[in-house]
Amino acid sequence: MKAMVYSEYGLTDVLELKEVDIPEIKANEVLVKVYAASVNSWDWDLLRGKPFLTRLGGIRKPRYKTLGADIAGRVEAIGENVKNISVGAEVFGDISGCGWGGFAEYVCASEEALSLKPAHMTFEEAAAIPQAGVLALQALRDKGRVHETKKVLINGAGGGVGTFALQIAKLYGAEVTCVDSKGKLEMLKSIGADHVIDYRTEDFTKKNGQKYDLILDVVGNRSIFHYKRAIKSEGKYVMIGGSSFLILQLLLLGPIINKTERKKMTILLHKPSKEDQNFLKDLYTAGKLVPVIDKEYSLNQVPEAIDYLGKGKTKGKVVVCVEDSQS
């Protein structure tokens, strides 16, 4: 089979499309023929080995040889202990807990990582949902308790996590302000943003003294003190992505700010969840959630796809079409 592999940290020029063996399934795994996979910021980080925390599984060389956590495809074979998925089933999921490997023609994954794909959902839409959608849902519902809030701000709203977060926050009845570059603002308004801010021309931590019940931060590009002044008393800040310096600030100063100023400042740790994938699937089926797909690439264009995401220009998700689902 073909797979996009790498053996050293670096930029996209270290990626190579190679012929490798089809993986062998274990007793609790299924073999999936991949039709689509999506690119996440974690792929970009693991490729470069930056920030350094991404190297915990491999200090000098990457632990995983093939990136790609979000997949959608058809089941080709099942292990002897698999109970709830059959051969021929159309599935999707986040396989980051199973060894990655989505940028390939076949991949093995635990059945616990995979959800059944609705027939009317395309493979491209299914691949766009798992990691970004679940991160957005967990940040808003679990960490941010969005059902208790009125005013939500999403910093870096134009990417994969942000476009899901905007739609989910609106379903909970929040008034949502989205911050991103000018070229993404019309798209954000088209999917429900109440207010938009071009970060290049306006600083939302200073803008008219506005304060928010919840700030969801996908980019983490400011000091904790900037975010603190934009949060209401009893408000919350949830970081999904950002700099190592901000992570350190949140770990050291977050508990102090929470105690002295009653503003909760936390970090969301990635936690794949089949239950949450199914929750998002149900929203899609009900017509309440639509994956925003910016561009589609072929398997041999994975370097271009990752490079495009790394430049921060994506409007929603970037999807890799590994195989024609009609073949």
Side-chain angles (χ1 to χ4, degrees), residues 229-247:
R229 70 184 178 213
I231 302 172
K232 294 180 181 179
S233 178
E234 305 289 345
K236 299 176 180 67
Y237 167 89
V238 181
M239 176 186 176
I240 292 179
S243 68
S244 298
F245 177 70
L246 179 57
I247 292 173

Side-chain angles (χ1 to χ4, degrees), residues 67-275:
L67 297 170
D70 289 354
I71 65 155
R74 284 195 179 97
V75 175
E76 294 286 300
I78 62 174
E80 59 185 17
N81 293 337
V82 173
K83 305 298 184 185
N84 300 310
I85 296 178
S86 58
V87 172
E90 297 181 349
V91 296
F92 71 102
D94 176 353
I95 60 169
S96 59
C98 312
W100 295 69
F103 299 146
E105 291 179 320
Y106 294 89
V107 70
C108 287
S110 165
E111 70 169 322
E112 294 306 313
L114 301 172
S115 298
L116 295 176
K117 182 185 78 65
H120 62 289
M121 179 188 285
T122 68
F123 286 103
E124 291 77 17
E125 289 174 324
I129 289 174
Q131 195 171 111
V134 169
L135 281 169
L137 177 64
Q138 292 176 352
L140 288 164
R141 181 195 61 196
D142 304 337
K143 287 282 190 178
R145 300 184 65 81
V146 67
H147 58 282
E148 299 176 353
T149 69
K150 293 181 180 178
K151 297 181 68 173
V152 174
L153 180 137
I154 305 170
N155 187 32
V161 175
T163 50
F164 281 114
L166 166 57
Q167 295 178 74
I168 294 168
K170 292 300 297 179
L171 290 176
Y172 280 98
E175 177 186 333
V176 184
T177 298
C178 292
V179 181
D180 215 304
S181 59
K182 182 179 178 180
K184 302 182 185 183
L185 302 186
E186 285 302 317
M187 177 272 291
L188 290 166
K189 286 191 284 187
S190 75
I191 60 170
D194 296 290
H195 313 284
V196 293
I197 297 174
D198 178 358
Y199 77 89
R200 291 191 177 98
T201 59
E202 298 180 66
D203 183 347
F204 72 86
T205 67
K206 298 178 181 178
K207 180 177 166 52
N208 301 324
Q210 288 283 342
K211 293 184 182 294
Y212 301 90
D213 299 298
L214 171 63
I215 292 178
L216 182 63
D217 193 9
V218 184
V219 293
N221 56 357
R222 296 171 179 270
S223 162
I224 191 173
F225 301 107
H226 289 90
Y227 293 116
K228 178 174 69 73
R229 70 184 178 213
I231 302 172
K232 294 180 181 179
S233 178
E234 305 289 345
K236 299 176 180 67
Y237 167 89
V238 181
M239 176 186 176
I240 292 179
S243 68
S244 298
F245 177 70
L246 179 57
I247 292 173
L248 183 62
Q249 281 191 318
L250 287 166
L251 292 174
L252 295 177
L253 302 176
I256 298 173
I257 293 172
N258 184 27
K259 187 173 293 186
T260 59
E261 301 192 38
R262 302 175 75 181
K263 297 179 179 182
K264 192 168 184 178
M265 310 195 74
T266 60
I267 304 169
L268 177 70
L269 299 178
H270 177 243
K271 184 181 179 182
S273 168
K274 183 173 181 176
E275 181 180 355

